[in-house]
Amino acid sequence: MIRPGVLGALCLCAVFNTVDSGMLFPQESSSREVKELNGLWDFRADKSPNRNQGFERAWYKSRLAETGPVIDMPVPASYNDITQDPSLRDFTGWVWYEREVVVPARWVADEGTRVVLRVGSAHYYSIVWVNGVKVTEHEGGHLPFEAEIGSLIRKDPTTPCRITIAVNNTLTLKTLPPGTIQYMSDRTKYPDGFFVQNIYFDFFNYAGIHRPVLLYTTPKAYVDDITVVTDFLDNTGLVKYTVSVQGATTATLKVTLMDKDRHCVASSSDQSGVLKVVDVKLWWPYLMHENPGYLYSLEVRLMAADERSTQDVYTLPVGIRTVNVTSTQFLINNKPFYFHGVNKHEDSDIRGKGLDWPLIVKDFNLMKWLGANSFRTSHYPYAEEILQMCDRHGIVVIDECPGVGIKDIRSFGNASLTHHLAVMDELVRRDKNHPSVVMWSVANEPAAEMPPAEYYFKTLIKHTKGLDPTRPVTYITDSNYARDKGAPYVDVICVNSYFSWYHDPGHLEVIPIQLNTQFENWYGKYHKPIIQSEYGADAVPGLHSDPPMMFTEEYQNVVLQKYHDVFDQKRKQYVIGELIWNFADFMTAQGITRVVGNKKGVFTRQRQPKAAAFILKERYWRLANETGILPPWTKYPCSL
Ligand code: BDP
């Protein structure tokens, strides 16, 4: 039985996210200001038995500190590892955040200024109030949401603006990822009210406000969205664009495409059109070209009706590149691209899934050191700030939605599918303009052999292609090639396998034959290119044995090497990539197969290399030398 308390409020506010406006990344410009609200917020977990006291007593109506004891909580961060309180680490239900903000007087005075409150992401369900008035709610833990709050803060300009955000991390059969709440009613075994959150995925269900919260302004008439699709013909780049404007009946625009030196290379005054770039500099992946990640800037100016002054200006980075898939290749700018990369998690000590710039930059430095040219956002969309880094550094991304752990047949129903489609709408809306994103992944290891999977994935993949016809779509499979119902609909087959680990543990000698069979079966049936989207083995850093035994660094090394031998045969045919599981060790739920988290990282959670990192580095630089065009300073063996 599910008690209404924990989930009741979730169901009450089960409004689907609507994608009727743009979600441009907030930026400062001559017409826009940004005020970050990161730092310490007041925080209170609702530990009442039904988790509903906050709503019953309307905690949003007054200062949170007046409702009961509050603690300091950093934003952005997961709340789980911040305190010494075990009941907060494993908390399920509503937590409340609050912060008072002084809004610049000119924002309040100028009725012509839109003031928007934006949350980069909060896990999982959020409700937001400003000065006690509800302004928005949002389902989904990994994508941004926002609300215009200008009229509210103008009501009483003398009081500070009080922002209250309630966040609930409960996962149900209809959420993404799914989960279940299980109450234990045997009073000889469990205390009154005891329940657990069951999940079907292998990472800790960190919760809280994970990405920056900010206020930003735009004028009343503003650039609401921009969509670009790029192509090229010989030396001429083509940037097909559409601008959507809100708050103006007619829009007079100046659209200018500038190169890195801010020289105008093409311009237009149309709301949509195609800009031609002579002697185009294409966007290339890292290690595939001597000048990777080349970005133009598309400046969109919304002019006042008399065309003499600018109302709004927004500048979008644009990388000009194409993506195509054949039956044996993945082509970027018509050249074969081989993914030699990693799977990641947003995960680190103390912060959990909170965005952290030192960690982000360190991870990019490690990926480049490793010679990785790509990663998959396993198993949910990462912060847009990370995709911006990928655009600039030329790191190729497979962008995955939070469709992980879809194992229960009830999660294939209509309500789940409708929500999954809505999440794809939001994901594509946010990430469509990033040149680094080359493929959408709609799920990880769903129970794709179940009968409803065929309709589910056919619909989901068709919908995603409708949203974005320019990128291939996949999901990550671990099911049997003969029984996988969704595989006919994907563009690229992405397969996870753990031979000599979950199957035939300890038997390294089975890897060559089993991996070969895996590839031949999938290719034989579908004739589509294949990425080994996960493979690996746990290694506790510092644990050694020879001959290699499971959980030692030596065993992890040999697993990698044996997989690599087969990749080297098959990449000459139809295997188009290999992504190690995982870049770094990461936290999971507690269980008998996990020793304080998953240890399949080639780096530790603190980002120090295990022996496997050096094996991978050696390989990735060698692959880059074979497949890419490297500048002299990166020639293998490199000195990075
Ligand atoms: C794969 C999952 C991944 C797990 C990994 C593992 O996709 O999330 O962490 O197995 O068990 O099946 O290490």
Side-chain angles (χ1 to χ4, degrees):
M1 185 198 86
I2 292 174
R3 293 218 181 141
V6 181
L7 299 176
L10 264 186
C11 301
L12 275 181
C13 31
V15 198
F16 286 106
N17 310 313
T18 48
V19 173
D20 50 8
S21 63
M23 198 46 88
L24 291 174
F25 190 81
Q27 66 173 217
E28 290 184 323
S29 73
S30 54
S31 62
R32 295 174 175 229
E33 289 177 73
V34 175
K35 184 178 167 71
E36 286 211 349
L37 306 183
N38 299 337
L40 294 186
W41 288 51
D42 278 355
F43 176 91
R44 186 174 179 197
D46 184 346
K47 293 189 181 167
S48 62
N50 66 5
R51 305 290 197 254
N52 228 13
Q53 196 183 87
F55 290 95
E56 286 155 13
R57 303 205 180 152
W59 287 358
Y60 50 88
K61 283 210 170 138
S62 57
R63 290 182 52 225
L64 197 55
E66 288 166 20
T67 70
V70 293
I71 59 171
D72 284 342
M73 190 54 69
V75 169
S78 302
Y79 58 73
N80 310 76
D81 291 346
I82 298 292
T83 75
Q84 302 310 106
D85 176 0
S87 72
L88 185 60
R89 182 166 194 277
D90 292 319
F91 186 77
T92 303
W94 291 100
V95 298
W96 294 70
Y97 288 79
E98 184 209 74
R99 157 134 190 210
E100 285 190 346
V101 187
V102 179
V103 181
R106 61 180 186 285
W107 293 12
V108 181
D110 180 5
E111 296 270 348
T113 295
R114 287 175 70 245
V115 180
V116 183
L117 169 62
R118 171 164 175 135
V119 180
S121 78
H123 189 71
Y124 170 83
Y125 199 103
S126 310
I127 307 182
V128 185
W129 296 262
V130 169
N131 294 337
V133 178
K134 187 172 130 188
V135 294
T136 192
E137 58 189 280
H138 180 261
E139 177 172 1
H142 311 89
L143 288 165
F145 51 96
E146 52 183 41
E148 216 268 288
I149 62 164
S151 56
L152 275 172
I153 56 176
R154 282 181 196 115
K155 261 193 190 154
D156 183 2
T158 56
T159 54
C161 160
R162 182 166 44 82
I163 300 170
T164 313
I165 307 181
V167 186
N168 192 329
N169 61 346
T170 307
L171 300 178
T172 74
L173 287 167
K174 294 185 187 115
T175 58
L176 266 196
T180 51
I181 298 287
Q182 189 180 4
Y183 278 88
M184 308 299 195
S185 51
D186 183 345
R187 288 290 156 264
T188 65
K189 286 185 167 173
Y190 302 101
D192 190 28
F194 187 92
F195 69 90
V196 288
Q197 167 78 74
N198 295 315
I199 52 173
Y200 312 106
F201 52 84
D202 182 38
F203 53 91
F204 192 75
N205 191 32
Y206 277 113
I209 302 180
H210 284 155
R211 298 185 191 148
V213 180
L214 46 89
L215 292 175
Y216 72 91
T217 65
T218 76
K220 271 264 160 352
Y222 64 100
V223 176
D224 177 53
D225 201 9
I226 307 169
T227 307
V228 297
V229 172
T230 64
D231 201 350
F232 64 93
L233 205 64
D234 303 324
N235 262 350
T236 305
L238 303 168
V239 178
K240 191 172 163 212
Y241 73 92
T242 310
V243 177
S244 113
V245 169
Q246 292 280 344
T249 38
T250 54
T252 309
L253 293 172
K254 274 192 188 161
V255 179
T256 314
L257 190 70
M258 291 172 291
D259 65 15
K260 267 216 158 118
D261 304 321
R262 303 198 68 77
H263 294 136
C264 167
V265 294
S267 65
S268 165
S269 52
D270 297 331
Q271 205 156 341
S272 61
V274 181
L275 299 171
K276 291 196 177 137
V277 186
V278 290
D279 290 330
V280 64
K281 288 198 174 68
L282 296 177
W283 185 94
W284 287 100
Y286 174 57
L287 301 181
M288 198 175 174
H289 191 267
E290 55 207 2
N291 190 9
Y294 189 91
L295 295 174
Y296 291 86
S297 297
L298 186 74
E299 184 192 83
V300 177
R301 262 175 203 277
L302 175 62
M303 309 301 291
D306 61 6
E307 288 190 37
R308 277 209 290 260
S309 58
T310 300
Q311 282 187 299
D312 190 20
V313 52
Y314 190 92
T315 305
L316 182 78
V318 172
I320 301 178
R321 58 108 184 92
T322 59
V323 172
N324 286 293
V325 172
T326 72
S327 62
T328 55
Q329 288 180 320
F330 196 96
L331 303 173
I332 296 184
N333 301 335
N334 300 330
K335 296 248 163 63
F337 175 75
Y338 186 77
F339 294 79
H340 42 91
V342 300
N343 290 278
K344 292 187 90 257
H345 264 297
E346 288 181 318
D347 176 271
S348 71
D349 284 336
I350 303 172
R351 291 144 187 81
K353 293 199 175 302
L355 180 137
D356 180 54
W357 278 112
L359 180 79
I360 291 174
V361 176
K362 178 73 177 176
D363 280 4
F364 271 79
N365 287 334
L366 288 176
M367 282 190 282
K368 292 177 92 169
W369 174 88
L370 209 53
N373 62 4
S374 51
F375 67 86
R376 166 163 77 108
T377 68
S378 44
H379 293 303
Y380 37 80
Y382 293 177
E384 196 170 354
E385 289 84 340
I386 295 176
L387 297 182
Q388 291 167 342
M389 290 276 288
C390 291
D391 292 344
R392 289 205 309 277
H393 291 266
I395 301 291
V396 167
V397 175
I398 301 173
D399 202 352
E400 187 155 291
C401 93
V404 55
I406 308 177
K407 303 283 189 195
D408 187 305
I409 198 153
R410 290 168 293 173
S411 292
F412 284 101
N414 271 343
S416 297
L417 179 57
T418 307
H419 178 57
H420 207 147
L421 298 177
V423 174
M424 288 314 300
D425 291 350
E426 282 184 52
L427 177 62
V428 173
R429 170 178 66 169
R430 192 195 69 163
D431 293 350
K432 62 189 171 184
N433 293 324
H434 288 288
S436 55
V437 174
V438 300
M439 181 154 66
W440 305 110
S441 161
V442 297
N444 178 67
E445 297 185 355
E449 66 291 346
M450 285 184 177
E454 171 150 20
Y455 174 75
Y456 193 96
F457 283 105
K458 187 176 166 181
T459 310
L460 190 56
I461 292 168
K462 193 171 160 216
H463 180 82
T464 308
K465 283 175 187 277
L467 293 170
D468 177 10
T470 71
R471 289 179 177 91
V473 182
T474 191
Y475 70 82
I476 314 297
T477 186
D478 68 336
S479 69
N480 183 302
Y481 78 103
R483 290 199 298 270
D484 191 302
K485 300 260 186 281
Y489 306 100
V490 302
D491 297 306
V492 172
I493 305 273
C494 288
V495 193
N496 296 348
S497 59
Y498 289 90
F499 304 126
S500 87
W501 192 262
Y502 293 121
H503 314 275
D504 305 296
H507 289 284
L508 292 160
E509 67 277 21
V510 304
I511 293 176
I513 181 167
Q514 294 191 1
L515 189 55
N516 189 65
T517 306
Q518 166 199 287
F519 285 138
E520 290 294 287
N521 283 345
W522 279 101
Y523 191 75
K525 178 146 187 193
Y526 291 106
H527 294 280
K528 293 179 185 178
I530 305 178
I531 296 176
Q532 181 76 36
S533 40
E534 287 182 28
Y535 70 104
D538 287 74
V540 178
L543 212 54
H544 295 287
S545 80
D546 186 70
M549 282 171 62
M550 291 177 77
F551 293 99
T552 64
E553 296 199 31
E554 287 74 15
Y555 195 91
Q556 187 184 35
N557 276 354
V558 180
V559 169
L560 266 53
Q561 282 161 332
K562 292 207 175 270
Y563 265 79
H564 296 165
D565 290 345
V566 182
F567 296 158
D568 279 338
Q569 294 156 28
K570 299 297 174 193
R571 70 188 169 85
K572 300 192 181 89
Q573 302 169 33
Y574 48 77
V575 168
I576 56 162
E578 52 189 86
L579 304 174
I580 185 78
W581 190 264
N582 190 285
F583 171 74
D585 292 347
F586 58 91
M587 192 47 68
T588 63
Q590 298 183 62
I592 50 168
T593 60
R594 296 288 176 257
V595 187
V596 193
N598 186 309
K599 296 278 186 282
K600 293 194 186 70
V602 296
F603 296 99
T604 65
R605 201 182 192 208
Q606 294 71 34
R607 274 50 180 181
Q608 296 305 325
K610 300 180 193 172
F614 296 95
I615 301 265
L616 216 55
K617 176 175 185 261
E618 190 86 2
R619 173 170 179 79
Y620 282 180
W621 282 97
R622 187 162 48 77
L623 286 171
N625 261 275
E626 267 179 49
T627 59
I629 310 155
L630 299 188
W633 56 268
T634 54
K635 282 284 181 212
Y636 175 84
C638 68
S639 54
L640 277 184

